[in-house]
Each structure stands twice: as C-alpha cells, then as structure tokens.
Amino acid sequence: MKSRILIIGACGQIGTELTAALRKRFGTDKVVASDIREGDEAMMAGGHFELLDATDYNAVEDVIFSYKVDTVYLMAAMLSAIAEKFPSKAWDLNMNSLFHVLNLAKEGKVRKVFWPSSIAVFGETTPSTNTPQTTVMEPSTVYGISKQTGERWCEYYHNKYGIDVRSIRYPGLISYTTEPGGGTTDYAVDIYHRALKHGEYRCFLQEGTTLPMMYMDDAIRATIGIMDADPADVKIRSSYNLAGVSYAPEEVVESIQKHLPDFKIAYEPDFRQAIADSWPQSIDDSMAQKDWGWSHEFDLDAITEIMLNNLKSRYA
Ligand code: AKB
C-alpha cells in the first residue's frame, strides 16, 4: 500500500524542520526526504534521503514510485530576493515543480499535496493592515507572481480534477536550525546571528518596515494542521492566510537589547526595501482559524529568547 510521505526541498529552512517533525510523528521509514543537495548529518543519517531535482518530472515520478509515496510536501522554491536576480530560473523552479506534482496527482500517482504560498502574493495595491483572505493581489516580484499563479493552479486542479492540494501563505519565518536563503524577511533571522557574533547588525530594511513574521514551530504546526484537517474543512484550495506576529526591525532590536543591552543596529536599505514595502504589514487569518482551528503561539519576545538561547553555544 502507498503510504509514504515525500518532502521535496527537505534541506531548506522549512524543509529541514518539517522533515524532522514528520519523521518524529510517523516514524523514519514513512518519510522520504529529498533535495538537490545533501543535507546536514541529522538529515542524512535520520532516515530515507534522495538527491532529487524538483524540475525533473521523471526523477520525481521515480522516487514516488519506488518509495510508494502517497503524500508530497513540495517545499522547493526560489525566494523573493534571489528570484529578482534569476527571474527565469525562479519561474522554472517554482512553477515546473508544482506542475509536476499536480500532474502526478492528476494521474493518480499521489493522493495528497502540500504546496507553500507566501505573503508575497500581495502587492502595493493590497490593503496593508489586517490583509483579508480575499482581496486585491497585484504582486510586483517574480516570486510573488509565481506564488499567485501557483495558487490559481492549485485551486484549478482541485476544482477540475478533485486533487487534494492544501496550501498556506507563510509570512517571514524565524528559526535557528537552518538559515533562510534569498528572502526579504531574512534580516529577522540574520539579526540574531550578528547580535551574538558581532554585537551589531547592518539591516537591509529601514526602520519602520513592519512585516508579518512567525516562529518556525508555529509554521510547522500550521503545515501539519492543515494536512491533518478533514478534507471537507479545507474550504480554500488556493491558499490560506496565516498570521503570527508583525514587527519592524527596531522592535527586534528592543527585544534583543533585553538580553544584550549593547546591541546596535545601522540601517542600510537596499533593493529588498521595495519588496518589503509592497508586502502587507499584518494578516487576517480568521479563515484558517475558523476552517481548521489554526492559532499561533509565539510572540516576538518568546522568539528572541529561543533564538538567542539556541544560537549562543554556536558563537560562544
Ligand atoms: C521571503 O522573504 O521571500 C520569504 C517569504 C515571505 O515568502 N520569507
């Protein structure tokens, strides 16, 4: 019987923690981690691992077939800042990988799919505070355009072919295990590393840039939560708004200074400022709360405490 879970993009920021959580929950034999590159020791030694290019349909199909995969979490993607540098590569990766998995589901080779969207689907014309689930969406980044398009395809495949695809719009994610790569919200992770290593941080976003953020444990809980939900309760098949906390760089500084009073920040905004300015400041996630019981746990001070405590030993 097909019963295994495949994670594509298992070595990325979300994939790493999602793999650990799913291995813990379902047992190592039930989970197949895969990525285009090898992961750290815990990833490689902790269970099944396959080198896999998410844009190679045949390779993805082979892994699904040989491991008897039933459910796919497609986490491979090029994030907002890096995608601006490689637009066509980003489009290929973000879109082709999704089509491959949706088509494999359409052919009956996979039963259930998770695909991550992002707050990047919104743009300058979107109401920026308490952004509703359904609203104006005119993303201005390659990443945002790919995520918005992906949402439309997910809904289309669900409506037209009955595919059980589920998705959430992640805000910026904060974690200490694996660093993010190529996002606009990455400052909110880098800042903790720099605070411990150098006592100061040069921030590529300016003061007052409020963005929606979330601690990784909340994001993993949301991901598993929507996948656990009864299919009838997952009423939105494009992607759900998801909220944690919203804050600006100076609020992270204040939170860090409660532990490291001498910590300093300098603001040197770059091209990522325009991306951040086009995104919402806060998100209304009442649909996720209502449909599948979502609620976040971690606030900024709790995140800061966890980040500093866990990174401390690395920079001691
Ligand atoms: C990024 O900054 O690109 C990502 C995102 C918000 O999807 N963290």
Side-chain angles (χ1 to χ4, degrees):
M1 204 183 83
K2 281 161 77 77
S3 62
R4 284 207 179 92
I5 295 167
L6 172 64
I7 302 148
I8 302 175
C11 298
Q13 192 200 13
I14 309 174
T16 302
E17 306 221 15
L18 182 62
T19 302
L22 292 172
R23 280 174 173 168
K24 193 166 165 204
R25 176 157 180 206
F26 295 105
T28 49
D29 185 52
K30 287 277 181 230
V31 179
V32 184
S34 73
D35 206 298
I36 194 131
R37 61 190 163 91
E38 290 196 349
D40 61 15
E41 212 191 310
M43 174 65 65
M44 303 309 290
H48 302 293
F49 184 90
E50 288 289 327
L51 279 177
L52 182 62
D53 174 357
T55 64
D56 182 340
Y57 179 89
N58 293 328
V60 175
E61 186 183 28
D62 282 352
V63 171
I64 286 171
F65 180 75
S66 53
Y67 282 96
K68 296 187 168 56
V69 169
D70 161 86
T71 299
V72 174
Y73 289 76
L74 173 55
M75 311 311 287
M78 204 184 284
L79 297 186
S80 58
I82 188 91
E84 290 304 294
K85 300 200 162 132
F86 305 101
S88 94
K89 239 179 157 173
W91 183 258
D92 283 352
L93 171 62
N94 295 2
M95 298 318 308
N96 289 343
S97 59
L98 176 61
F99 269 124
H100 292 345
V101 173
L102 289 177
N103 284 328
L104 285 160
K106 185 180 155 198
E107 287 160 25
K109 292 172 180 155
V110 169
R111 189 183 55 87
K112 202 167 167 187
V113 176
F114 177 82
W115 176 78
S117 187
S118 158
I119 54 162
V121 293
F122 300 116
E124 266 166 37
T125 50
T126 303
S128 74
T129 51
N130 219 18
T131 299
Q133 172 68 41
T134 307
T135 184
V136 180
M137 288 162 89
E138 295 185 315
S140 54
T141 61
V142 175
Y143 175 65
I145 296 168
S146 74
K147 288 293 176 189
Q148 191 200 27
T149 311
E151 287 192 7
R152 297 289 88 227
W153 280 116
C154 287
E155 191 184 85
Y156 182 88
Y157 270 68
H158 175 75
N159 290 341
K160 187 108 181 168
Y161 309 117
I163 305 306
D164 189 356
V165 54
R166 305 173 184 210
S167 175
I168 48 189
R169 294 172 179 153
Y170 290 120
L173 298 180
I174 316 299
S175 63
Y176 60 86
T177 310
T178 314
E179 286 173 51
T184 302
T185 56
D186 292 10
Y187 93 83
V189 176
D190 293 346
I191 196 166
Y192 293 107
H193 290 265
R194 291 272 164 175
L196 287 163
K197 221 165 139 187
H198 303 293
E200 57 182 32
Y201 182 61
R202 283 192 209 155
C203 187
F204 58 76
L205 296 183
Q206 70 196 14
E207 220 174 335
T209 311
T210 300
L211 286 170
M213 302 282 184
M214 180 176 282
Y215 183 56
M216 185 60 82
D217 285 15
D218 272 342
I220 298 298
R221 209 163 39 76
T223 309
I224 294 176
I226 191 173
M227 288 300 269
D228 275 352
D230 188 299
D233 291 336
V234 185
K235 299 198 173 69
I236 293 169
R237 295 299 183 143
S238 50
S239 192
Y240 277 91
N241 271 8
L242 195 74
V245 273
S246 280
Y247 51 79
E250 66 274 18
E251 292 171 81
V252 192
V253 174
E254 267 173 44
S255 182
I256 292 176
Q257 281 171 342
K258 290 179 190 163
H259 304 262
L260 304 167
D262 296 330
F263 174 60
K264 286 188 183 53
I265 191 163
Y267 295 98
E268 292 179 7
D270 65 16
F271 72 100
R272 289 169 279 194
Q273 185 65 45
I275 301 178
D277 287 343
S278 77
W279 288 353
Q281 297 187 2
S282 58
I283 300 286
D284 171 7
D285 65 359
S286 49
M287 297 301 285
Q289 293 179 30
K290 185 164 110 357
D291 287 357
W292 43 275
W294 160 250
S295 73
H296 84 276
E297 265 175 29
F298 295 86
D299 65 12
L300 174 56
D301 281 339
I303 295 172
T304 297
E305 201 168 325
I306 295 170
M307 290 297 285
L308 293 177
N309 284 343
N310 283 283
L311 291 174
K312 221 185 281 170
S313 52
R314 205 180 294 180
Y315 298 117

